[in-house]
Amino acid sequence: MPTALPRSLPTALPRSLPTALRCPCHDARPCPGRGLRDVTACARRCAAASDRRGASGRSRVGTGVVSDCGVQGTGGSSAISKCSAAARGYIQDRFLRLLAGRQRRRAPLIHRGYYVRARAVDHCVQDFLLKTQSHPRTQVLSLGAGFDSLYFRLKDVGLLHHTVVYEVDFPNVMCQKATLIKRMEELSALVGDTAGEGLGAITFSGEDYKLLGVDLSELSELGRALEEAGLDNEIPTLFIAEVVLTYMENSRSDALIQWAAERFPRACFLLYEQVHPEDPFGHVMQQHFSQLNCALRSLAQYPDCEAQQRRFLGRGWTECSAMDMNEFFTCCIPEDEQQRVQALEPFDEYEEWHLKCSHYFVLTASKGMEPSWTPLLPSVTVPHRAAPVGMAGSVPAAVCARLSGIPGLRRYGHRSVLIKPDVILTTGGFGEEDGQHCRLRNFHVLSKHAGCWKAGCVTKKHPDKRWGERLYHTVSCLSDSLALVVGGRMSPSNAGLGMLWLKFPETYNASDPDDIAVELVNLQPAAEPATLRWRHSTTEVTFKGEQYLFVYGGRSALEPVLGDWYFLHTRELSNTVIAVDGPVPESRHSHSACSWEGGALIAGGLGAAEQPLGSVFLLRKLEHGFQWQAVETYPPLIPRYSHTAHVHEGKLLLVGGVWFHAPSVPGITVIDLRTGLCLDYVINVEHLEWPLMLHNHSSVFLPNEKELVVIGGGGNCFSFGTHLNPEPVSLSLSSILTSH
């Protein structure tokens, strides 16, 4: 009887690497360092030099890729990132440090990204080995394997009793890997006896492990080398390509996919690559790889999972399925394992994590397999999150005039509030200051005078250390001269920050935006513990003629998501107990909240399982207190979070945010609170010269002009760099609010 395979492949302590490795760009020149970090740096230098001299930078095997140097550099960086993830407990792999060399600690966002990639590959490989246990022989062919440790992990846990692993990459990469294996007793002991090395393209040959240095784009050469190495076309074969084919010309990668289907009657293919090049995150992703001199060539022709499936089915493969990494994480990883990973490190980059996962996918294709190979069948059922049936229209976006290049407006995780008519105060967040990225202390003001926006810096009186360079706080303007800051954080591992008063002049000259001073006043109210949170909401409500701030949801250093609430009396800033009836909404953070008819409207957010929510709740005012009521929308609201919201004449406006499994990014959603009608509008960005990222932003609605001003937004785009919307953007909503 077939036995179940372990849920994850096992990790351990390495030895030192040899004192020199050959540069991947120059077969004979030694790299001065000791491991892949130096090889990667050398590859990046050579790629840059290639750009300067106008050459392609290709070696004698690189006819199918943009630059071998750049591509090999990405492989080295990937190995170091996987090594860092293993060191933090995300993946179990005691061989990565032996192959990757010296460690460099990556950010938690990078760890999660490489965890889900490794998990997807292991999941599919183990499923192939399980389904083919009854066959006397099977084989795995890893294309562009680099310094991957897959063979050693499989061999170490006894999963290669009748399976041979072949790895193909550039000749110099395979020579380096062969040298490492021979010099590392812990690696060479697992391989056992070797023979046949130096025969053609074979750089290393063990009984069940072969390394071949071949250009993947030269199929005749690849076929000859595999035949010499002993690859058997007639037995079940699994092809693996992790971010490899996308660097090749489409005609060559298509030919490789078809060659594999035609040559192997019983075969499976595992592909992991990027998708969605045209949205803002996709633009930043493409720019990153282009700067490394290794453009993502497949994206224009195969921009989504459906196009990739058609690609395989049209080239000889009979079954094919694909899912992005958000879906894989939710559907194919057990809930207890999800919770384990989510608890490994302090983490607060949800938007960037989900955007990264929506731009990578895993695909499996097969032919001639009995039983069928279907590793991507979900282990759990999640509600289908349909994309908008169709957009109701578009909203034009334009850069706010005369604000180009104003410092201090490039930020995210901040808050902007209308403190006077046509005067917007922006506080906190993470952004750009004096040429550096940091948490921001400076306040900024935007004022509209004679139809034009002007920007200015704010003078802070008696700056209090407790401002704390905070992110994800709230600011509520309670009078012409007073605003209350609630919560926020510095680091996600630290406790939330407390409350502050912001005092500013009652009168203000809008034509001179620099002429404003804000005084910070420290507070120690009895309600302080209730406010030590971030990613929450603070909404003005009324009860029995008194004003209260309704503090709801969010998260803290101890609780990843909160579902409680507090009523802060605005005059006394004390917590007041007021009865609330009705079904309690699911705990959430990064939601939106607006005042409406004396109560509060809560929409969307991120729930306890780090899944976007599509619910809308009204905290309705009654004589004896308040009552939670669900607001039904038609069609159902697409779950989202990290958006902003405003209410205008009985309509709830949701601006931007992050959602899953949709070909488009959120624009403006208008919900009629009387009828429940829910319409989506795309934002027309043709007049913007840069990607508009509508998450972690702030927005202010000017009802008289029906104008929405979007300030800041963006974030750290995985390993592709930080994108901050450089200028405030104006959205004219007059047409959609009139026609809705």
Side-chain angles (χ1 to χ4, degrees), residues 11-27:
T11 114
L13 300 175
R15 306 183 180 190
S16 61
L17 279 167
T19 55
L21 286 173
R22 282 179 297 174
C23 168
C25 316
H26 314 293
D27 289 341

Side-chain angles (χ1 to χ4, degrees), residues 195-216:
E197 295 160 16
L199 177 62
I202 303 171
T203 65
F204 186 91
S205 181
E207 182 180 356
D208 58 359
Y209 186 43
K210 321 283 184 180
L211 302 182
L212 291 82
V214 186
D215 180 3
L216 294 176

